[in-house]
Amino acid sequence: MRGILLAGGSGTRLLPLTSVSSKQLLPVYDKPLIYYPLSVLMLAGMREILVISDGRHLDSFRHLLGDGERFGLDLRYAAQDSPRGIAEALLIGREFAGEEDVCLILGDNIFYGQGLPATLREAAGTVDGCTVFGYPVSDPERYGVAALDEDGRLLDIEEKPAEPRSNLAVTGLYMYSNDALICAEKISPSARGELEITDVNRMLVAEGRGRLVRLGRGTAWLDAGTHDSLLEASQYVQVLQKRQGLRIACLEETAYHMGYIGKEQLRALADGLSAGSDYGRHVRSLLRT
């Protein structure tokens, strides 16, 4: 399975912060926002990843992440010059995907949980059509919501329903078998002029090829797309890291523990980080494990 990370969008909800920067380059506590979804793809077992962003910011992402080799990854880049919808990422990434299955993640979504890596890897190994990830929320009318039958099977996805049929919001993480990518070529722009990922997912659900994985107790899902949610995400990461002494979405640590790099590569990464930063000291501490 290959990963597609959509770091596009105009970021209008975060103006003026995004007047000179992509929102995925903004800090969430001690690291850029893009580190969080990128680490999720890595934890799911993906090493070939396509980063899609506004063409104005691609050089900034390349400067930050390079070709991914230092993390044991193969990172590539593509432009989405205007925000024409999430589903367009599947069209842009079609050649990159080749004959492989695909995991698409939105660049402003943050996931964390002790059991999350195993959940992701199990889902990646069993995808047929589409697999979406549902998270319980108190205000489901603000989201795309999963409608389930009494046995928990996915029946439909309703976009911002007035009367939600469940409290499970569909998060910005999607897995597709390769043949499902053809569906993105068949949908038409919505009333707001975008190719909606919900239309792709509903097409597959109607074929009986949609599955919902619940992300429940013990897992956190944050959407850092507004000023308040960006601040809340930073505070969440700060509290968790300071209280538990761990580091969320540290790419160097993820690459090392996933076996993408060895100790000598980790040492080289640590040498490239300032010993005066908490982040740099954490990466150096991994050399002692």
Side-chain angles (χ1 to χ4, degrees):
M1 179 173 278
R2 294 179 177 173
I4 297 177
L5 198 166
L6 180 56
S10 56
T12 54
R13 292 185 298 169
L14 283 166
L15 286 170
L17 293 175
T18 48
S19 59
V20 294
S21 172
S22 166
K23 71 177 172 182
Q24 288 82 13
L25 293 170
L26 296 175
V28 173
Y29 188 49
D30 60 347
K31 60 192 77 72
L33 174 54
I34 194 173
Y35 272 40
Y36 296 86
L38 181 55
S39 70
V40 170
L41 294 177
M42 293 169 68
L43 289 170
M46 274 154 268
R47 302 179 70 168
E48 295 173 279
I49 297 168
L50 178 69
V51 177
I52 299 174
S53 184
D54 185 317
R56 297 174 301 164
H57 303 305
L58 280 180
D59 284 345
S60 296
F61 285 109
R62 288 192 181 98
H63 180 74
L64 175 67
L65 300 169
D67 62 5
E69 183 179 5
R70 70 183 191 271
F71 302 117
L73 304 176
D74 176 7
L75 292 181
R76 304 178 212 176
Y77 300 88
Q80 184 187 42
D81 291 324
S82 62
R84 289 184 289 267
I86 296 170
E88 189 185 34
L90 299 178
L91 300 180
I92 295 171
R94 189 72 184 90
E95 182 177 345
F96 162 78
E99 297 181 358
E100 299 291 325
D101 296 342
V102 163
C103 179
L104 169 64
I105 191 168
L106 304 188
D108 58 3
N109 274 223
I110 297 172
F111 297 86
Y112 175 74
Q114 292 296 331
L116 184 62
T119 297
L120 294 173
R121 289 195 285 271
E122 188 278 333
T126 58
V127 64
D128 176 21
C130 73
T131 296
V132 298
F133 295 81
Y135 191 85
V137 295
S138 59
D139 51 353
E141 64 279 357
R142 294 180 52 233
Y143 301 90
V145 177
L148 310 174
D149 67 14
E150 57 186 18
D151 295 319
R153 288 188 292 264
L154 184 61
L155 295 176
D156 197 4
I157 299 173
E158 302 171 322
E159 194 64 31
K160 298 181 180 178
E163 298 182 3
R165 294 161 65 184
S166 82
N167 71 333
L168 290 172
V170 175
T171 69
L173 177 64
Y174 318 89
M175 292 183 179
Y176 298 99
S177 54
N178 185 266
D179 66 299
L181 302 187
I182 298 171
C183 294
E185 301 173 357
K186 298 178 180 179
I187 64 173
S188 300
S190 65
R192 60 177 183 167
E194 296 190 3
L195 297 175
E196 307 289 353
I197 199 68
T198 297
D199 290 343
V200 173
N201 295 334
R202 293 186 76 187
M203 187 181 301
L204 293 161
V205 170
E207 295 176 0
R209 303 180 63 211
R211 177 189 174 207
L212 178 114
V213 174
R214 294 173 184 252
L215 300 176
R217 192 179 298 274
T219 302
W221 169 53
L222 306 170
D223 177 350
T226 66
H227 295 106
D228 285 344
S229 61
L230 190 65
L231 175 61
E232 290 164 2
S234 291
Q235 292 171 329
Y236 172 82
V237 173
Q238 179 198 37
V239 169
L240 203 60
Q241 290 187 170
K242 285 187 174 295
R243 287 185 177 176
Q244 297 188 8
L246 48 76
R247 192 71 46 167
I248 300 173
C250 174
L251 298 185
E252 295 84 355
E253 181 174 18
T254 302
Y256 182 55
H257 287 316
M258 290 294 293
Y260 296 168
I261 62 173
K263 183 156 284 190
E264 289 309 308
Q265 289 171 285
L266 180 64
R267 191 182 308 278
L269 291 174
D271 289 344
L273 295 167
S274 171
S277 72
D278 286 341
Y279 190 95
R281 285 193 293 272
H282 175 76
V283 174
R284 280 175 169 74
S285 74
L286 299 173
L287 294 167
R288 300 192 294 270
T289 62

